[in-house]
Every structure is written in C-alpha cells, then in structure tokens.
Amino acid sequence: MLYLHYLGTYFLMIAEMFKKPTKWSVMKQLILKEIDDLIIGSLGIVAFISFFVGGVVTIQTALNIDNPLIPKNLVGFATRQSIILEFAPTFMSIIMAGKVGSFITSSIGTMRVTEQIDALEVMGINSLNYLVFPKFISLMLYPFVISISMFLGILGGLAACVYGGYASMGDYIEGVQLDFTPFHMAYAFIKTLIFAFILATVPSYHGYYMKGGALEVGKASTTSFVWTSVVIIVLNYLLTQLLLS
Amino acid sequence: MIEVKNLHKSFGDAHILKGINTAFEKGKTNLIIGQSGSGKTVFLKCLLGLFNYEQGSIAYDGKIFSKLSEDEKRDIRAQIGMVFQGSALFDSMTIEENVMFPLKMFTKQSKSEMQDRVDFVLKRVNLADAHKKMPSEASGGMQKRVAIARAIVNKPKYLFCDEPNSGLDPKTSIVIDDLIKEITEEYQITTVINSHDMNSVMQIGEKIVFLKNGYKEWEGSRYDIFKTDNKAVTDFVYSSELFKKVRQMYLEERG
C-alpha cells in the first residue's frame, strides 16, 4: 500500500509541475542554468566514458573472434550495435542517474531542509514548477548528449581497433556502415527521451518529498540513484520488447 | 489585520491546535510564545497557508483564506513577507538577487526600478555594501537582515517571523527586534513573530499570545505580562531569576 501511495504522490507531483507556471522571464533563466548544470556539465564525463568503453567493446569483440571465416568488419558492426542500442542510451543513463540524479536530489533536498522550498510556497510560487519544470525541459536536450556518446563510443572503438592491430580502419568503418537499420536510431532516441523524463522527475521526487536533515539528504540521494536505475532498467526491458520484438 | 477563529489542526491522532481564537492587529508587533511543542510553529504555518486545518477560519483583512479561489490566495501570498528561522535565503543567488527575487516574480518593474528598491531596502537594514556577497559569506545576523530585506522589498501587508533571534548573540538580537518593530510601524504592517526569546517579548511585544498544549492559554501586552497571575505564563516567562527580579521591580515601582 505504501508503494502505491509513493506512486500516486509521484504522478501528482508531475501533474502539479505543469500548473501555475512561473513568469517566463524568470523561467528562461532557470532553464538556461539547468542546461548548463545538467547537460553541458555532463559532457566531459560522458565523452570520457564513451570513448574508453567504445574501445573496450571493440577489443573484447576482436579477442573473441578467432574463427578465420568471420570477416574482420564484424568488429565495427558489433561495436556500433552495442553502442547505439544499449551502451549509449541505457548504460549512459544509469551513469547519469548517479551524476545528474544525485545532484538534483541533493540540491532540491537541501532546499527542503533549509526551508527554501517553504519560502517559495509562502511567496505563492508553485515550487514544483519553479524547481522541477526547468530540469525537465533542459533534459529534453539529453538525446544530444547521447548522440555525442554514440559518436565517441564508435570513435573510441576505431582508435582501439586500429592502434591495437585488431583490424584495419577500412574494415572497421565498413563494419560500422554494414546492414544499418535507421529504426535502431529511432529506438535509441525514444528510449533516451523517456529516460530523460525519468532522470528529471524521479530524483526531483526524492529531493522534494524528503524529510529530516543533512544526513537524510545523503540517504535520499542514494535512494534516488537506486530507484532511478531500477526504473530505467525495467523501462529498458519493456521498451525493447515493445519496439524491437 | 488577521483574525483567527476556532482553529483546529491535527496530524493523525495528535491534536496540535485546539480551538485557537485571536486577532493580530495592523501596525503592531504580535508575538506567539510558548514552550517547545506547544504548537507555535504549526500555528504559524497554518497562518501562512503551508498547513491545511480541519476546523476554524483565518481571515486576512476580512477575507477568509480557505474560501478564496487559487488566484485570490496567490494575491494574498504575494502580500506576505516571511523571515524563516534559518533565514531560508536561496544559496545559489547573491544577497542582491535574493532581495530582488520577489520583485522579479511579482512585479513588472524595470531593472533600474528594481535595483533602486533593492538598494533602498538593503540600506534600510544596514547592508548597503553587501550586494554581491553570497549568503554563505554572510554572518547569521547579516543573513537575518537579508531575510528581512527580502520579506519587505515588495511592501507586504503581513510580515511573519519564525524565531528571528535564534542563534544570534544578545546584541544582534536587539538590532533585529528593533528593526522589525521600526519596519512594522513605518509601513503599518501586521507582524506576527513566533519567539522563545523573553528579551523580544519584553522589548517589542505589543500583543502576546501564549500557547500551551495547543490551547491559547493567555493573551495581552508586554505590560500585562508583568501583572498577570496566570501560573502557566509566569512559570514560562519568569523561569529565569533575572526576569523574576525585573518583574518584582516593575510591580514595586507601580505599588
């Protein structure tokens, strides 16, 4: 019953987020600030992880192909499929649940503990619209981050493949272009947009409704990371079943 | 003026406020006092509209808050200034941005008009040089003064303060009390202060409401509090030897 209560509160929070909009001149500044914090601020870690994981996927694939009948371009093909279908949209989102999600929960949670949210409410401001809506809008640019992750993952794979001597650049690029299905990109970006919504709202929920002091802010951040990851993994399964099967 | 009639508030089985009746007058500093757990904060949060209540009514200048539409409630809230116990300054904004915030949200003033108003109120609370500081760089007393500046910048009709002196040294407490009293009289605001501080009670308490176990046990002015024989009030207010002596001297002076 308690979980149903939490779920109901979460959906009520989402509905409330769209009510009583904050003045546009103020909201515009908030959205730009959130884009800077959540999107631009994540590019470095996304680029770093994507490049090296792309390299590792390539090496692992190459080392597991020992049959001379299998063409060398399979390394590029397998890397592309792994990066586009799963690594960039799903696993990068779990990493972002740690980075962006914890940031959202702790910043909103700290505002709750220090009565800053009460101060907004007393002034007659819809605190959910003021705090959560700009995060939601800025994370609609999340597919842009995932595009960079896809590109750098494949580029990292190319670097590892060529400098590791597993296949030639031509073979790798041929593999990347082999049997390309445009719907796979659509599938990846549909998932990304849904995960962006989860990344904006689940951590906000944990921060907004937390009770207690500084210690509880830390606990809320951890709980938020766990639940955001769980929701992403479950939705990943459901969306894959719906879109690809 | 704020009128409270038969206010009841519960959390589950815990009945916190039990039929409070009182009125807070315009241009006066009204204090709510009482021991920890007596229901002061819950009462203040009901007055602010942060808590819903089961029974009774709260009227702002004759308008019963619970019967207003959402837009009318928002209009009332825009006329409320609040000083929180921990100041509740937005820590991602400078002091100047904190004070300018209500103007940005609720007025259509130009940037220069807002800047003039912010300069004026920061000067009024003796913080003319603190514009670009972050709240974390300000002392507790400065933060309280910024909170007061933010609360009065949009010329509120009602000012609420939750323990404005908590965590402050006695000298700074007096400065904050005097500032609140001056502002209340100058702008003819209805001010309601939730306090534990007996110095504040004696210094600025034009009307004092004493709560005990969720009931309004007593109300009167700071002069009445010397004369009252209500045991709960005297036990609370004169719990220190110093205040006992002050009371004795006051009563002796007046025969």
Side-chain angles (χ1 to χ4, degrees):
Chain A
M1 277 306 282
L2 201 59
Y3 283 106
L4 271 180
H5 169 75
Y6 293 148
L7 200 63
T9 313
Y10 171 73
F11 285 113
L12 285 173
M13 179 197 88
I14 290 166
E16 196 63 31
M17 182 174 89
F18 294 102
K19 288 181 188 167
K20 265 172 63 181
T22 304
K23 220 171 151 181
W24 173 240
S25 57
V26 176
M27 182 54 80
K28 196 171 62 184
Q29 297 298 322
L30 291 171
I31 292 172
L32 290 174
K33 188 181 172 299
E34 296 296 354
I35 290 173
D36 189 34
D37 285 344
L38 306 180
I39 301 292
I40 311 289
S42 304
L43 288 178
I45 187 81
V46 166
F48 178 78
I49 293 175
S50 302
F51 188 83
F52 283 97
V53 171
V56 170
V57 169
T58 297
I59 294 168
Q60 296 275 19
T61 311
L63 290 177
N64 281 287
I65 298 171
D66 48 9
N67 189 331
L69 292 175
I70 297 175
K72 289 284 182 193
N73 62 15
L74 185 78
V75 178
F77 175 80
T79 304
R80 184 200 75 199
Q81 290 296 82
S82 311
I83 297 283
I84 288 179
L85 293 175
E86 279 310 310
F87 170 73
T90 309
F91 291 96
M92 199 45 75
S93 295
I94 291 171
I95 290 163
M96 290 289 272
K99 194 204 175 278
V100 169
S102 299
F103 171 74
I104 291 173
T105 305
S106 56
S107 59
I108 296 180
T110 305
M111 287 186 78
R112 168 64 72 200
V113 170
T114 55
E115 297 180 305
Q116 292 176 49
I117 294 179
D118 286 345
L120 289 169
E121 289 289 327
V122 166
M123 287 181 206
I125 296 164
N126 178 357
S127 57
L128 281 168
N129 180 265
Y130 182 85
L131 295 171
V132 186
F133 187 72
K135 291 174 176 56
F136 162 67
I137 295 295
S138 69
L139 277 167
M140 289 299 106
L141 291 176
Y142 183 53
F144 164 72
V145 177
I146 295 306
S147 306
I148 290 174
S149 170
M150 287 173 179
F151 172 74
L152 288 173
I154 292 171
L155 191 71
L158 174 71
C161 186
V162 174
Y163 291 110
Y166 300 108
S168 68
M169 186 187 284
D171 283 339
Y172 184 87
I173 292 173
E174 191 189 332
V176 168
Q177 293 172 334
L178 185 73
D179 202 15
F180 178 70
T181 312
F183 182 71
H184 285 173
M185 292 299 284
Y187 158 76
F189 285 119
I190 289 168
K191 284 206 301 189
T192 303
L193 272 174
I194 291 169
F195 295 161
F197 181 78
I198 299 300
L199 281 172
T201 53
V202 174
S204 296
Y205 167 84
H206 284 280
Y208 192 85
Y209 292 103
M210 65 144 296
K211 288 188 176 84
L215 183 66
E216 282 75 15
V217 174
K219 283 181 185 168
S221 294
T222 312
T223 313
S224 145
F225 171 67
V226 171
W227 276 107
T228 309
S229 307
V230 167
V231 173
I232 286 173
I233 295 287
V234 171
L235 283 177
N236 184 44
Y237 172 77
L238 294 174
L239 287 167
T240 305
Q241 184 70 27
L242 277 170
L243 296 169
L244 289 187
S245 67
Chain B
M1 185 177 190
I2 303 169
E3 284 174 282
V4 182
K5 284 184 185 159
N6 193 30
L7 191 72
H8 287 264
K9 169 70 187 165
S10 302
F11 292 102
D13 294 334
H15 197 173
I16 308 296
L17 298 179
K18 298 160 185 165
I20 307 277
N21 287 291
T22 191
F24 301 114
E25 289 172 41
K26 188 180 169 183
K28 284 190 176 175
T29 43
N30 303 277
L31 271 86
I32 305 167
I33 62 169
Q35 281 185 314
S36 299
S38 59
K40 299 191 300 293
T41 302
V42 174
F43 184 31
L44 196 74
K45 289 195 170 178
C46 287
L47 290 173
L48 287 163
L50 290 175
F51 286 160
N52 293 322
Y53 39 88
E54 290 82 42
Q55 204 183 321
S57 68
I58 297 170
Y60 290 83
D61 289 318
K63 293 176 185 166
I64 297 174
F65 193 75
S66 58
K67 290 184 179 169
L68 299 177
S69 68
E70 279 305 312
D71 284 345
E72 287 170 321
K73 280 182 183 171
R74 208 186 312 171
D75 289 343
I76 297 261
R77 284 193 171 123
Q79 296 169 0
I80 289 176
M82 172 76 193
V83 178
F84 283 88
Q85 190 173 353
S87 299
L89 300 177
F90 302 120
D91 43 23
S92 59
M93 300 179 191
T94 62
I95 284 175
E96 181 182 77
E97 287 166 342
N98 262 286
V99 178
M100 199 180 278
F101 184 78
L103 298 178
K104 274 189 180 171
M105 294 299 290
F106 299 110
T107 70
K108 289 177 179 167
Q109 291 177 14
S110 67
K111 180 88 175 109
S112 63
E113 285 172 321
M114 285 195 274
Q115 190 62 56
D116 288 347
R117 179 70 187 153
V118 169
D119 291 345
F120 174 78
V121 288
L122 281 177
K123 204 173 166 189
R124 183 69 192 77
V125 297
N126 301 319
L127 284 174
D129 302 325
H131 287 63
K132 300 296 170 198
K133 279 189 178 177
M134 297 304 284
S136 57
E137 294 167 335
S139 66
M142 276 172 82
Q143 287 185 12
K144 282 277 157 64
R145 280 184 283 158
V146 177
I148 292 171
R150 184 177 69 181
I152 63 167
V153 73
N154 204 15
K155 299 175 183 168
K157 285 173 80 174
Y158 316 99
L159 177 65
F160 293 89
C161 308
D162 189 11
E163 307 209 9
N165 299 328
S166 73
L168 299 182
D169 62 84
K171 199 176 169 185
T172 313
S173 294
I174 292 168
V175 171
I176 297 292
D177 282 343
D178 287 344
L179 187 61
I180 293 171
K181 187 164 167 39
E182 283 165 25
I183 285 166
T184 302
E185 287 170 1
E186 201 174 319
Y187 303 116
Q188 285 297 294
I189 304 170
T190 306
T191 297
V192 181
I193 304 170
N194 187 353
S195 186
H196 275 128
D197 187 351
M198 285 310 115
N199 286 317
S200 299
V201 172
M202 299 302 181
Q203 199 172 340
I204 60 169
E206 288 175 282
K207 174 163 183 180
I208 298 154
V209 175
F210 178 74
L211 298 188
K212 190 183 176 192
N213 299 328
Y215 292 101
K216 185 188 80 179
E217 178 76 24
W218 180 88
E219 70 178 18
S221 73
R222 64 179 184 270
Y223 304 110
D224 299 330
I225 217 163
F226 283 115
K227 293 176 270 181
T228 182
D229 51 7
N230 183 308
K231 194 173 177 324
V233 177
T234 52
D235 282 354
F236 177 71
V237 176
Y238 304 107
S239 52
S240 86
E241 286 302 317
L242 178 68
F243 282 113
K244 269 181 199 161
K245 280 180 186 161
V246 170
R247 185 190 191 210
Q248 205 176 348
M249 282 163 64
Y250 178 89
L251 293 175
E252 280 169 9
E253 248 178 48
R254 277 155 182 76

